């Protein structure tokens, strides 16, 4: 992930999942990346959601993957649920609803975002072709997007590397305002 962000032109500072909004803003970030991680997003959300909501309020670019996608969804007012079997492995087909392109993705999670709970300002951008779960989303007016899978894992092998470039472009356009 760090190499992918650096390749997209990002200078990266790593903070723990428990970082407060004040600790994040002390870094003077141009954008915030919400990484993957283990566990139940609701449990992690007890300490992470206040900071994520503060970043949203500042309208900073945000890119989340896997657990970061789930936490971003919770911060935006959606719900998550436990999958019966989870998504595991490097052979998960995901469709980009905007382009129609299907990518083979790598995944390792046991929770998903409830599509019916997403607020109207969120657009679902990607779905899992095996079970139709939400695999990607973007905010319609804020520079915020996320994917459920691991674009850095490159099972395709480079099907999803464009997300890191897209995040770099969001940061560039946001800092020019």
């Amino acid at each position: 992930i760090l190499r992918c962000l650096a390749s997209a032109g990002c200078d990266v500072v790593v903070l723990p999942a428990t970082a407060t909004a004040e600790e994040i803003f002390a870094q003077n970030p141009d954008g915030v990346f919400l990484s993957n991680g283990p566990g139940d997003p609701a449990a992690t959300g007890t300490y992470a959601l206040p900071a994520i909501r503060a970043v949203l309020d500042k309208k900073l670019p945000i890119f989340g993957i896997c657990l970061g996608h789930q936490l971003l969804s919770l911060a935006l007012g959606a719900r998550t649920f436990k999958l019966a079997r989870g998504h595991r492995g490097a052979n998960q087909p995901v469709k980009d609803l905007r382009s129609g392109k299907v990518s083979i993705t790598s995944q390792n999670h046991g929770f998903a975002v409830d599509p019916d709970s997403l607020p109207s300002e969120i657009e679902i951008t990607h779905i899992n072709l095996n079970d139709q779960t939400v695999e990607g989303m973007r905010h319609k007016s804020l520079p915020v997007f996320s994917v459920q899978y691991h674009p850095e894992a490159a099972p395709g092998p480079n099907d999803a590397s464009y997300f890191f470039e897209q995040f770099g472009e969001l940061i560039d356009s946001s800092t020019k305002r």
Side-chain angles (χ1 to χ4, degrees), residues 136-166:
M137 64 179 191
R138 72 169 191 89
H139 196 283
K140 293 178 182 176
S141 62
L142 296 175
V144 172
F145 72 102
S146 62
V147 292
Q148 178 60 74
Y149 54 95
H150 293 269
E152 82 286 359
N158 296 309
D159 288 355
S161 60
Y162 67 93
F163 287 115
F164 295 97
E165 294 161 12
Q166 181 181 342

mmCIF file of all heavy atoms in Angstrom, residues 136-166:
data_model
loop_
_atom_site.group_PDB
_atom_site.id
_atom_site.type_symbol
_atom_site.label_atom_id
_atom_site.label_comp_id
_atom_site.label_asym_id
_atom_site.label_seq_id
_atom_site.Cartn_x
_atom_site.Cartn_y
_atom_site.Cartn_z
ATOM 1 N N GLY A 136 -17.561 -1.013 -3.877
ATOM 2 C CA GLY A 136 -16.979 0.310 -4.029
ATOM 3 C C GLY A 136 -18.057 1.363 -3.980
ATOM 4 O O GLY A 136 -19.223 1.104 -4.309
ATOM 5 N N MET A 137 -17.652 2.559 -3.554
ATOM 6 C CA MET A 137 -18.601 3.674 -3.480
ATOM 7 C C MET A 137 -17.835 4.980 -3.590
ATOM 8 O O MET A 137 -16.608 5.022 -3.432
ATOM 9 C CB MET A 137 -19.382 3.631 -2.170
ATOM 10 C CG MET A 137 -18.526 3.816 -0.946
ATOM 11 S SD MET A 137 -19.510 3.793 0.545
ATOM 12 C CE MET A 137 -18.278 4.357 1.710
ATOM 13 N N ARG A 138 -18.586 6.031 -3.869
ATOM 14 C CA ARG A 138 -18.008 7.372 -3.884
ATOM 15 C C ARG A 138 -19.072 8.339 -3.400
ATOM 16 O O ARG A 138 -20.274 8.115 -3.552
ATOM 17 C CB ARG A 138 -17.502 7.761 -5.263
ATOM 18 C CG ARG A 138 -18.589 8.053 -6.261
ATOM 19 C CD ARG A 138 -18.054 8.687 -7.551
ATOM 20 N NE ARG A 138 -19.161 9.177 -8.342
ATOM 21 C CZ ARG A 138 -19.703 10.380 -8.258
ATOM 22 N NH1 ARG A 138 -19.242 11.257 -7.399
ATOM 23 N NH2 ARG A 138 -20.719 10.732 -9.017
ATOM 24 N N HIS A 139 -18.605 9.430 -2.818
ATOM 25 C CA HIS A 139 -19.505 10.503 -2.397
ATOM 26 C C HIS A 139 -19.760 11.379 -3.612
ATOM 27 O O HIS A 139 -18.851 11.654 -4.385
ATOM 28 C CB HIS A 139 -18.856 11.299 -1.256
ATOM 29 C CG HIS A 139 -19.829 12.145 -0.516
ATOM 30 N ND1 HIS A 139 -20.314 13.333 -1.010
ATOM 31 C CD2 HIS A 139 -20.412 11.956 0.690
ATOM 32 C CE1 HIS A 139 -21.149 13.854 -0.140
ATOM 33 N NE2 HIS A 139 -21.237 13.039 0.908
ATOM 34 N N LYS A 140 -20.988 11.810 -3.795
ATOM 35 C CA LYS A 140 -21.343 12.581 -4.993
ATOM 36 C C LYS A 140 -20.799 14.002 -4.986
ATOM 37 O O LYS A 140 -20.645 14.597 -6.050
ATOM 38 C CB LYS A 140 -22.861 12.591 -5.168
ATOM 39 C CG LYS A 140 -23.421 11.216 -5.500
ATOM 40 C CD LYS A 140 -24.929 11.241 -5.612
ATOM 41 C CE LYS A 140 -25.477 9.857 -5.893
ATOM 42 N NZ LYS A 140 -26.954 9.848 -5.910
ATOM 43 N N SER A 141 -20.508 14.568 -3.820
ATOM 44 C CA SER A 141 -20.023 15.947 -3.799
ATOM 45 C C SER A 141 -18.695 16.135 -3.067
ATOM 46 O O SER A 141 -18.047 17.160 -3.252
ATOM 47 C CB SER A 141 -21.083 16.877 -3.193
ATOM 48 O OG SER A 141 -21.355 16.509 -1.857
ATOM 49 N N LEU A 142 -18.283 15.191 -2.255
ATOM 50 C CA LEU A 142 -17.007 15.279 -1.542
ATOM 51 C C LEU A 142 -15.957 14.415 -2.256
ATOM 52 O O LEU A 142 -16.310 13.433 -2.904
ATOM 53 C CB LEU A 142 -17.156 14.788 -0.099
ATOM 54 C CG LEU A 142 -18.088 15.592 0.804
ATOM 55 C CD1 LEU A 142 -18.220 14.912 2.169
ATOM 56 C CD2 LEU A 142 -17.593 17.018 0.958
ATOM 57 N N PRO A 143 -14.672 14.730 -2.103
ATOM 58 C CA PRO A 143 -13.608 13.937 -2.726
ATOM 59 C C PRO A 143 -13.319 12.666 -1.917
ATOM 60 O O PRO A 143 -12.255 12.507 -1.316
ATOM 61 C CB PRO A 143 -12.421 14.903 -2.739
ATOM 62 C CG PRO A 143 -12.635 15.752 -1.533
ATOM 63 C CD PRO A 143 -14.135 15.919 -1.418
ATOM 64 N N VAL A 144 -14.292 11.773 -1.895
ATOM 65 C CA VAL A 144 -14.259 10.608 -1.026
ATOM 66 C C VAL A 144 -14.676 9.370 -1.821
ATOM 67 O O VAL A 144 -15.714 9.388 -2.485
ATOM 68 C CB VAL A 144 -15.238 10.818 0.158
ATOM 69 C CG1 VAL A 144 -15.396 9.569 0.990
ATOM 70 C CG2 VAL A 144 -14.794 12.004 1.017
ATOM 71 N N PHE A 145 -13.872 8.319 -1.742
ATOM 72 C CA PHE A 145 -14.239 7.050 -2.373
ATOM 73 C C PHE A 145 -13.580 5.897 -1.640
ATOM 74 O O PHE A 145 -12.636 6.085 -0.865
ATOM 75 C CB PHE A 145 -13.877 7.039 -3.858
ATOM 76 C CG PHE A 145 -12.400 6.955 -4.151
ATOM 77 C CD1 PHE A 145 -11.824 5.754 -4.530
ATOM 78 C CD2 PHE A 145 -11.592 8.078 -4.064
ATOM 79 C CE1 PHE A 145 -10.467 5.676 -4.810
ATOM 80 C CE2 PHE A 145 -10.234 8.008 -4.341
ATOM 81 C CZ PHE A 145 -9.664 6.802 -4.709
ATOM 82 N N SER A 146 -14.086 4.683 -1.890
ATOM 83 C CA SER A 146 -13.516 3.507 -1.232
ATOM 84 C C SER A 146 -13.865 2.252 -2.008
ATOM 85 O O SER A 146 -14.804 2.232 -2.804
ATOM 86 C CB SER A 146 -14.045 3.390 0.204
ATOM 87 O OG SER A 146 -15.453 3.226 0.212
ATOM 88 N N VAL A 147 -13.074 1.209 -1.744
ATOM 89 C CA VAL A 147 -13.345 -0.114 -2.293
ATOM 90 C C VAL A 147 -13.201 -1.149 -1.195
ATOM 91 O O VAL A 147 -12.390 -0.990 -0.278
ATOM 92 C CB VAL A 147 -12.429 -0.467 -3.491
ATOM 93 C CG1 VAL A 147 -12.759 0.408 -4.692
ATOM 94 C CG2 VAL A 147 -10.963 -0.378 -3.152
ATOM 95 N N GLN A 148 -13.989 -2.212 -1.302
ATOM 96 C CA GLN A 148 -13.985 -3.269 -0.296
ATOM 97 C C GLN A 148 -12.782 -4.191 -0.443
ATOM 98 O O GLN A 148 -12.326 -4.783 0.513
ATOM 99 C CB GLN A 148 -15.275 -4.086 -0.415
ATOM 100 C CG GLN A 148 -15.367 -5.248 0.544
ATOM 101 C CD GLN A 148 -15.299 -4.841 1.998
ATOM 102 O OE1 GLN A 148 -16.233 -4.305 2.549
ATOM 103 N NE2 GLN A 148 -14.161 -5.072 2.642
ATOM 104 N N TYR A 149 -12.259 -4.317 -1.625
ATOM 105 C CA TYR A 149 -11.193 -5.285 -1.880
ATOM 106 C C TYR A 149 -9.812 -4.647 -1.763
ATOM 107 O O TYR A 149 -9.678 -3.508 -1.339
ATOM 108 C CB TYR A 149 -11.387 -5.951 -3.240
ATOM 109 C CG TYR A 149 -11.522 -5.003 -4.411
ATOM 110 C CD1 TYR A 149 -10.422 -4.658 -5.174
ATOM 111 C CD2 TYR A 149 -12.761 -4.487 -4.774
ATOM 112 C CE1 TYR A 149 -10.543 -3.804 -6.259
ATOM 113 C CE2 TYR A 149 -12.894 -3.638 -5.857
ATOM 114 C CZ TYR A 149 -11.778 -3.304 -6.593
ATOM 115 O OH TYR A 149 -11.905 -2.459 -7.665
ATOM 116 N N HIS A 150 -8.778 -5.404 -2.135
ATOM 117 C CA HIS A 150 -7.395 -4.966 -1.977
ATOM 118 C C HIS A 150 -6.775 -4.615 -3.324
ATOM 119 O O HIS A 150 -6.191 -5.485 -3.976
ATOM 120 C CB HIS A 150 -6.564 -6.059 -1.289
ATOM 121 C CG HIS A 150 -6.971 -6.293 0.120
ATOM 122 N ND1 HIS A 150 -6.388 -5.616 1.167
ATOM 123 C CD2 HIS A 150 -7.910 -7.085 0.667
ATOM 124 C CE1 HIS A 150 -6.961 -5.997 2.302
ATOM 125 N NE2 HIS A 150 -7.879 -6.892 2.017
ATOM 126 N N PRO A 151 -6.845 -3.360 -3.750
ATOM 127 C CA PRO A 151 -6.267 -3.001 -5.047
ATOM 128 C C PRO A 151 -4.749 -3.125 -5.073
ATOM 129 O O PRO A 151 -4.158 -3.294 -6.137
ATOM 130 C CB PRO A 151 -6.704 -1.548 -5.251
ATOM 131 C CG PRO A 151 -7.060 -1.049 -3.910
ATOM 132 C CD PRO A 151 -7.501 -2.233 -3.104
ATOM 133 N N GLU A 152 -4.109 -3.099 -3.914
ATOM 134 C CA GLU A 152 -2.656 -3.226 -3.860
ATOM 135 C C GLU A 152 -2.197 -4.672 -4.049
ATOM 136 O O GLU A 152 -1.034 -4.917 -4.341
ATOM 137 C CB GLU A 152 -2.127 -2.682 -2.529
ATOM 138 C CG GLU A 152 -2.213 -3.626 -1.357
ATOM 139 C CD GLU A 152 -3.596 -3.861 -0.767
ATOM 140 O OE1 GLU A 152 -4.584 -3.264 -1.258
ATOM 141 O OE2 GLU A 152 -3.719 -4.644 0.184
ATOM 142 N N ALA A 153 -3.103 -5.631 -3.902
ATOM 143 C CA ALA A 153 -2.731 -7.045 -3.996
ATOM 144 C C ALA A 153 -2.517 -7.490 -5.435
ATOM 145 O O ALA A 153 -1.855 -8.487 -5.674
ATOM 146 C CB ALA A 153 -3.788 -7.909 -3.325
ATOM 147 N N ALA A 154 -3.074 -6.776 -6.390
ATOM 148 C CA ALA A 154 -2.827 -6.974 -7.815
ATOM 149 C C ALA A 154 -3.039 -8.395 -8.313
ATOM 150 O O ALA A 154 -2.177 -8.936 -8.986
ATOM 151 C CB ALA A 154 -1.432 -6.467 -8.172
ATOM 152 N N PRO A 155 -4.170 -9.039 -8.032
ATOM 153 C CA PRO A 155 -4.361 -10.383 -8.568
ATOM 154 C C PRO A 155 -4.602 -10.381 -10.060
ATOM 155 O O PRO A 155 -4.498 -11.421 -10.690
ATOM 156 C CB PRO A 155 -5.583 -10.898 -7.809
ATOM 157 C CG PRO A 155 -6.340 -9.675 -7.481
ATOM 158 C CD PRO A 155 -5.291 -8.617 -7.233
ATOM 159 N N GLY A 156 -4.848 -9.204 -10.634
ATOM 160 C CA GLY A 156 -5.263 -9.088 -12.018
ATOM 161 C C GLY A 156 -4.246 -9.009 -13.124
ATOM 162 O O GLY A 156 -4.585 -9.351 -14.208
ATOM 163 N N PRO A 157 -2.973 -8.637 -13.045
ATOM 164 C CA PRO A 157 -2.183 -8.208 -11.894
ATOM 165 C C PRO A 157 -2.243 -6.711 -11.609
ATOM 166 O O PRO A 157 -1.845 -6.275 -10.542
ATOM 167 C CB PRO A 157 -0.764 -8.617 -12.267
ATOM 168 C CG PRO A 157 -0.732 -8.505 -13.741
ATOM 169 C CD PRO A 157 -2.136 -8.864 -14.209
ATOM 170 N N ASN A 158 -2.705 -5.889 -12.558
ATOM 171 C CA ASN A 158 -2.726 -4.445 -12.320
ATOM 172 C C ASN A 158 -4.111 -3.851 -12.538
ATOM 173 O O ASN A 158 -4.235 -2.678 -12.843
ATOM 174 C CB ASN A 158 -1.702 -3.746 -13.231
ATOM 175 C CG ASN A 158 -0.292 -4.180 -12.914
ATOM 176 O OD1 ASN A 158 0.126 -4.143 -11.775
ATOM 177 N ND2 ASN A 158 0.427 -4.624 -13.927
ATOM 178 N N ASP A 159 -5.137 -4.667 -12.380
ATOM 179 C CA ASP A 159 -6.497 -4.226 -12.650
ATOM 180 C C ASP A 159 -6.920 -3.013 -11.841
ATOM 181 O O ASP A 159 -7.694 -2.191 -12.308
ATOM 182 C CB ASP A 159 -7.506 -5.347 -12.375
ATOM 183 C CG ASP A 159 -7.473 -6.461 -13.398
ATOM 184 O OD1 ASP A 159 -6.733 -6.323 -14.395
ATOM 185 O OD2 ASP A 159 -8.178 -7.457 -13.204
ATOM 186 N N ALA A 160 -6.445 -2.905 -10.614
ATOM 187 C CA ALA A 160 -6.969 -1.888 -9.708
ATOM 188 C C ALA A 160 -5.951 -0.839 -9.287
ATOM 189 O O ALA A 160 -6.223 -0.044 -8.392
ATOM 190 C CB ALA A 160 -7.555 -2.567 -8.472
ATOM 191 N N SER A 161 -4.803 -0.783 -9.931
ATOM 192 C CA SER A 161 -3.785 0.190 -9.528
ATOM 193 C C SER A 161 -4.234 1.627 -9.764
ATOM 194 O O SER A 161 -3.739 2.553 -9.132
ATOM 195 C CB SER A 161 -2.477 -0.076 -10.262
ATOM 196 O OG SER A 161 -2.667 0.016 -11.657
ATOM 197 N N TYR A 162 -5.208 1.825 -10.623
ATOM 198 C CA TYR A 162 -5.683 3.177 -10.935
ATOM 199 C C TYR A 162 -6.301 3.879 -9.734
ATOM 200 O O TYR A 162 -6.387 5.108 -9.707
ATOM 201 C CB TYR A 162 -6.670 3.159 -12.106
ATOM 202 C CG TYR A 162 -7.992 2.477 -11.825
ATOM 203 C CD1 TYR A 162 -9.099 3.215 -11.383
ATOM 204 C CD2 TYR A 162 -8.160 1.111 -12.011
ATOM 205 C CE1 TYR A 162 -10.315 2.603 -11.139
ATOM 206 C CE2 TYR A 162 -9.367 0.493 -11.777
ATOM 207 C CZ TYR A 162 -10.448 1.242 -11.342
ATOM 208 O OH TYR A 162 -11.652 0.629 -11.093
ATOM 209 N N PHE A 163 -6.733 3.147 -8.710
ATOM 210 C CA PHE A 163 -7.330 3.791 -7.541
ATOM 211 C C PHE A 163 -6.328 4.694 -6.832
ATOM 212 O O PHE A 163 -6.677 5.773 -6.360
ATOM 213 C CB PHE A 163 -7.883 2.762 -6.559
ATOM 214 C CG PHE A 163 -9.134 2.090 -7.019
ATOM 215 C CD1 PHE A 163 -9.144 0.740 -7.285
ATOM 216 C CD2 PHE A 163 -10.295 2.814 -7.209
ATOM 217 C CE1 PHE A 163 -10.293 0.107 -7.707
ATOM 218 C CE2 PHE A 163 -11.449 2.198 -7.635
ATOM 219 C CZ PHE A 163 -11.453 0.834 -7.884
ATOM 220 N N PHE A 164 -5.093 4.262 -6.740
ATOM 221 C CA PHE A 164 -4.072 5.063 -6.071
ATOM 222 C C PHE A 164 -3.782 6.326 -6.875
ATOM 223 O O PHE A 164 -3.607 7.410 -6.311
ATOM 224 C CB PHE A 164 -2.810 4.229 -5.840
ATOM 225 C CG PHE A 164 -3.055 3.091 -4.882
ATOM 226 C CD1 PHE A 164 -3.324 1.821 -5.356
ATOM 227 C CD2 PHE A 164 -3.046 3.310 -3.515
ATOM 228 C CE1 PHE A 164 -3.583 0.778 -4.469
ATOM 229 C CE2 PHE A 164 -3.295 2.273 -2.625
ATOM 230 C CZ PHE A 164 -3.569 1.002 -3.111
ATOM 231 N N GLU A 165 -3.759 6.212 -8.192
ATOM 232 C CA GLU A 165 -3.584 7.387 -9.053
ATOM 233 C C GLU A 165 -4.774 8.339 -8.911
ATOM 234 O O GLU A 165 -4.613 9.553 -8.853
ATOM 235 C CB GLU A 165 -3.410 6.944 -10.505
ATOM 236 C CG GLU A 165 -2.129 6.162 -10.728
ATOM 237 C CD GLU A 165 -2.142 5.327 -12.002
ATOM 238 O OE1 GLU A 165 -3.055 5.522 -12.836
ATOM 239 O OE2 GLU A 165 -1.246 4.479 -12.145
ATOM 240 N N GLN A 166 -5.979 7.768 -8.843
ATOM 241 C CA GLN A 166 -7.193 8.581 -8.671
ATOM 242 C C GLN A 166 -7.127 9.359 -7.355
ATOM 243 O O GLN A 166 -7.495 10.533 -7.301
ATOM 244 C CB GLN A 166 -8.420 7.668 -8.700
ATOM 245 C CG GLN A 166 -9.746 8.374 -8.565
ATOM 246 C CD GLN A 166 -10.915 7.388 -8.585
ATOM 247 O OE1 GLN A 166 -10.800 6.248 -9.018
ATOM 248 N NE2 GLN A 166 -12.047 7.834 -8.111
#
